[in-house]
Amino acid sequence: MGETDGEVLAALDLRRDADLEIAYQRHAGELHRFATRHLRDAAAAADVVQEVFVRAWRHAARYDGAVASLRVWLFTIARNLVVDQVRRDRARPGRPTDPGVLGEVAERASRGSARSFSDDLVTAWFVEEALGLISVEQRVAIVETALRGRPYAEVAVELDVPVGTLRSRVFHGLRNLRAIMDDTGVPL
């Protein structure tokens, strides 16, 4: 960005639609990349970018070009929104899939013929693919307890971990699995 671009951006009044649009065109892309990098979710990042410009428009009178550039001010708003989103996500973790549901899907899919393309078989393929995307510890915990139906105590002894650790791996693994499946649009 040249010096004239900086002068143009410093002269913007974000209360005017045309100026807000200029600011959006100049900064939305990099704000989206920033939010995506930290949230690891493009849709959530898009929401952050939208909220950045809504807040910039609402609080345009607070912007002082002598204190910081428009870019710095917008990134400060974005950073605060990202931090708030991360805190909300940590306070309300996603709902994990019920382990019984995975077992039912696997059993129904195994009963189908090799040529059957039922919903359960396709879902089982997606579950198998999604299992490959979570950590090895979580995958083993889910496969052994939820899919194979083995008792937690038995699997914990075999893996040489406390039962609580195994339960935690199953919980977090199922939550991650549900997020992956939701992203692909396949309901469990």
Side-chain angles (χ1 to χ4, degrees), residues 1-16 19 22-23 26-27 60 63-74:
M1 182 175 352
E3 192 173 319
T4 57
D5 285 343
E7 291 169 1
V8 167
L9 292 177
L12 291 179
D13 180 357
L14 297 179
R15 292 172 285 204
R16 293 191 314 233
D19 289 354
I22 290 169
R26 301 273 175 120
H27 299 293
Y63 170 64
D64 183 359
V67 174
S69 69
L70 178 61
R71 181 179 183 275
V72 169
W73 188 61
L74 293 173

Side-chain angles (χ1 to χ4, degrees), residues 34-41 44-45 47-48 55 77-94 175:
F34 167 80
T36 302
R37 185 171 48 249
H38 292 286
L39 297 175
R40 296 185 179 122
D41 181 352
D47 291 343
V48 165
R55 289 187 183 189
I77 296 169
R79 182 187 59 82
N80 292 338
L81 290 168
V82 166
V83 167
D84 290 346
Q85 182 66 44
V86 168
R87 287 180 181 159
R88 268 193 305 276
D89 291 347
R90 286 184 184 158
R92 287 182 251 135
R175 185 184 65 198

Side-chain angles (χ1 to χ4, degrees), residues 54-131:
V54 167
R55 289 187 183 189
W57 173 73
R58 283 186 186 152
H59 304 290
R62 292 184 188 173
Y63 170 64
D64 183 359
V67 174
S69 69
L70 178 61
R71 181 179 183 275
V72 169
W73 188 61
L74 293 173
F75 269 89
T76 301
I77 296 169
R79 182 187 59 82
N80 292 338
L81 290 168
V82 166
V83 167
D84 290 346
Q85 182 66 44
V86 168
R87 287 180 181 159
R88 268 193 305 276
D89 291 347
R90 286 184 184 158
R92 287 182 251 135
R95 181 177 56 106
T97 302
D98 178 20
V101 172
L102 291 177
E104 291 171 20
V105 169
E107 186 172 323
R108 285 193 309 254
S110 68
R111 286 190 306 239
S113 69
R115 296 177 187 258
S116 171
F117 288 99
S118 70
D119 287 341
D120 287 339
L121 185 58
V122 172
T123 300
W125 289 341
F126 276 106
V127 169
E128 184 178 351
E129 187 73 26
L131 281 168

Side-chain angles (χ1 to χ4, degrees), residues 109-172:
S110 68
R111 286 190 306 239
S113 69
R115 296 177 187 258
S116 171
F117 288 99
S118 70
D119 287 341
D120 287 339
L121 185 58
V122 172
T123 300
W125 289 341
F126 276 106
V127 169
E128 184 178 351
E129 187 73 26
L131 281 168
L133 299 174
I134 63 175
S135 74
V136 173
E137 292 85 8
Q138 292 173 351
R139 181 173 50 249
V140 168
I142 290 171
V143 167
E144 294 302 320
T145 59
L147 296 177
R148 293 191 176 145
R150 295 179 58 202
Y152 281 87
E154 180 182 309
V155 175
V157 168
E158 184 178 295
L159 296 176
D160 195 31
V161 297
V163 173
T165 300
L166 181 65
R167 288 185 184 280
S168 179
R169 288 177 182 175
V170 169
F171 175 83
H172 292 289

